[in-house]
Every structure is written in structure tokens, then in C-alpha cells.
Amino acid sequence: MIELRQVSKEYPNGTKGLNKINLTIGQGEFIAVVGLSGAGKSTLLRSINRLHDITEGDIIINGKSITKSHGKALRMIRRDIGMIFQSFNLVKRSTVLRNVLAGRVGYHSTLRSILGRFPAADVDLAFGALERVGIADKAYIRADQLSGGQQQRVAIARVLAQEAKIILADEPVASLDPLTTKQVMDDLKRINQELGITTIVNLHFIDLAREYATRIIGLRAGEVVFDGPVSDATNER
Ligand code: ADP
Ligand code: ADP
């Protein structure tokens, strides 16, 4: 469902973030991308969602090239892809519910999204998503009143409300303590298993990758240096 063909990303200053990457990722996989800081993990996720343009190659999502899509076609592909960031990227002063409803923006006209009034069906979806991550009781609380782990759960609920088929999580637990890390990783894993959402998680620690992923992709200097099932992953990082 996700295919990268000879993908390179060179930043304007000449740094090669990715160098001729080839990957095929199937529906429902739970993949950990590991590598030292600067290896290209973030560049990889940002390329898949086309948060930036790649400089070479092609990325195919469910049979359609996101690299060559524009306008409505691009928005339709992106609607299927949910992003989760280390810093949660919530609207801090908005309620939890409003933050989760933001996942529905791609389904409505721009005007409706600006006005921020969503149909009742969306509110139902948002509550269903909040229930799935166990924080429905926090719906009317301001996002910045929650703990880090709870805020990351709001971000997970947002991609669930989006009805994303792919989750790209860029170091989602990097700013969380060990216990909260486990809770958030458990949530991501459970959602992957229950809903079959293809999940790619950038992780700094190989131990977490081994514990949760079914496939590990190791990056070094923008190149894939390991790609295989967890059982084949050595202690190398
Ligand atoms: P990781 O997520 O594994 O830490 P990144 O994808 O952030 O790695 O970075 C890969 C390489 O690209 C690094 O050498 C980094 O310095 C460089 N890089 C990342 N973002 C930019 C940017 N906006 N401009 C220039 N170089 C960048
Ligand atoms: P405001 O528009 O000033 O934020 P509202 O009274 O319209 O205040 O909404 C209060 C809260 O109710 C919102 O912050 C949001 O969390 C929630 N809410 C309930 N239903 C909806 C809906 N259909 N669309 C958007 N927000 C909703």
C-alpha cells in the first residue's frame, strides 16, 4: 500500500536526507524505523506524507503517486494519512474535543472548517475515538491542561477521527516518561491490531522497536541498512 521507488531527498543546503530508498510496506504492518539522530527517519515520514517534496523517485500510496498529485487528488491521498509528532501538535487553548474534530477538516468545505462547526456524526466519531484511547471524560478540558501522555492520546484520537488508514508517528514517545511511553505504544499497537491501520513509528530506542514492531527498518545516513522481522534485528542500532 506504500511504495517508495528510488526516493532521494536533498535539502536546499545540499544535505542528503534520504539516498535512493526503496521500500514496500503492506496493509496493516506495524513498522519501527530506527537509527541515530540525523539518520533520516523524520525525512522519511515527511516524504511519505509529502510535507516536503522529494528530489528524486516516486512514492505510491494505495496505487496513486503522491509525488505527482496536486489539488483535490493530493488532499484525498493525505486524508488517509494521519501524522503524530513528538510535540503532539495540538491547539493548546482549544478543548480536547475540538482538537479531535480537527481530524475531520479534510472531509468538509474550507468554510465549514473555518467556522469550526462540525456535524453531529463527526462529534460521535470524535467521542468514539476518545473512548478508544480512554480519555472521553476529558473532552471538554483544554488540551494544555492534560499530561503529556494524555495529549499524545488526543493526537492519536485525532487521527482516528480522521479515519486515517496509515499512521506516521515521528518519535511519538520521545518526550514521555517510561510508563507513559508504554501506554502510548500500547495504544498504537492495539489500534493497529483492532483497526488494521498501517503504522510506521520512528523510534530512538531499538528496545521499544523490538517490543512493539513486527518489522524494523534501520536507517543510517539516509540509506536503509536493515529491513526485516524483529527476530532478525541484532543489537546494532
Ligand atoms: P532523524 O529523524 O533520523 O534524526 P532527519 O530526517 O531529521 O533525521 O535528518 C536527516 C539529515 O537531514 C540530517 O543530516 C539532518 O541534519 C538533515 N536535515 C533535516 N532537516 C533538514 C533541513 N530542513 N535542512 C537541511 N538539512 C536537514
Ligand atoms: P465556541 O464556539 O466558543 O468554542 P461552543 O459553545 O460552540 O463554543 O462549543 C463549546 C465546545 O463544545 C467546543 O469547544 C467543542 O469542544 C464542543 N463541541 C460540541 N459540539 C461541537 C460541534 N458540533 N462542533 C464543534 N465543537 C463542538
Side-chain angles (χ1 to χ4, degrees):
M1 75 166 338
I2 304 173
E3 208 186 323
L4 281 80
R5 299 179 186 157
Q6 294 287 104
V7 171
S8 297
K9 168 64 184 177
E10 190 176 323
Y11 287 102
N13 67 2
T15 307
K16 278 223 160 188
L18 293 176
N19 191 14
K20 294 190 164 47
I21 297 266
N22 290 294
L23 285 173
T24 302
I25 292 165
Q27 167 84 44
E29 285 200 73
F30 193 101
I31 295 179
V33 179
V34 299
L36 297 175
S37 182
K41 305 183 294 294
S42 206
T43 304
L44 175 66
L45 291 199
R46 297 172 74 80
S47 297
I48 292 173
N49 196 22
R50 205 170 145 190
L51 287 180
H52 58 207
D53 284 324
I54 54 176
T55 39
E56 196 188 334
D58 200 1
I59 298 177
I60 318 289
I61 314 269
N62 288 326
K64 297 198 178 83
S65 167
I66 191 167
T67 316
K68 294 170 187 147
S69 296
H70 304 279
K72 183 151 195 282
L74 177 59
R75 285 200 298 278
M76 293 300 279
I77 299 173
R78 280 209 178 117
R79 203 157 84 173
D80 286 339
I81 307 175
M83 290 288 298
I84 293 174
F85 300 93
Q86 174 179 350
S87 50
F88 322 130
N89 286 28
L90 302 179
V91 182
K92 292 182 176 28
R93 301 172 65 86
S94 273
T95 60
V96 165
L97 180 60
R98 276 193 177 277
N99 272 282
V100 177
L101 283 168
R104 301 302 298 164
V105 161
Y107 292 88
H108 300 293
S109 68
T110 315
L111 180 61
R112 182 153 208 168
S113 300
I114 289 169
L115 294 176
R117 304 306 302 182
F118 292 91
D122 283 4
V123 177
D124 288 348
L125 259 174
F127 269 102
L130 283 169
E131 267 157 28
R132 207 174 264 284
V133 292
I135 52 168
D137 59 324
K138 305 279 190 273
Y140 297 102
I141 293 176
R142 251 173 61 163
D144 59 3
Q145 309 276 301
L146 302 184
S147 70
Q150 289 169 334
Q151 290 192 45
Q152 196 57 296
R153 290 214 183 93
V154 176
I156 295 172
R158 184 173 56 194
V159 304
L160 290 178
Q162 183 186 334
E163 296 181 294
K165 295 172 181 64
I166 298 166
I167 290 178
L168 306 177
D170 196 357
E171 306 256 7
V173 293
S175 59
L176 303 178
D177 61 62
L179 178 64
T180 316
T181 289
K182 182 172 162 37
Q183 290 166 344
V184 166
M185 289 303 296
D186 283 345
D187 277 339
L188 287 172
K189 183 74 182 177
R190 188 167 40 78
I191 286 159
N192 163 259
Q193 286 172 339
E194 289 175 2
L195 304 177
I197 299 177
T198 307
T199 306
I200 308 178
V201 187
N202 284 354
L203 291 172
H204 216 80
F205 295 110
I206 185 80
D207 294 355
L208 272 183
R210 274 212 209 82
E211 190 177 345
Y212 287 95
T214 47
R215 172 179 171 191
I216 295 179
I217 293 172
L219 293 183
R220 190 188 293 147
E223 295 185 5
V224 175
V225 292
F226 179 88
D227 183 1
V230 172
S231 53
D232 291 354
T234 65
N235 282 313
E236 238 186 300
R237 241 201 358 194

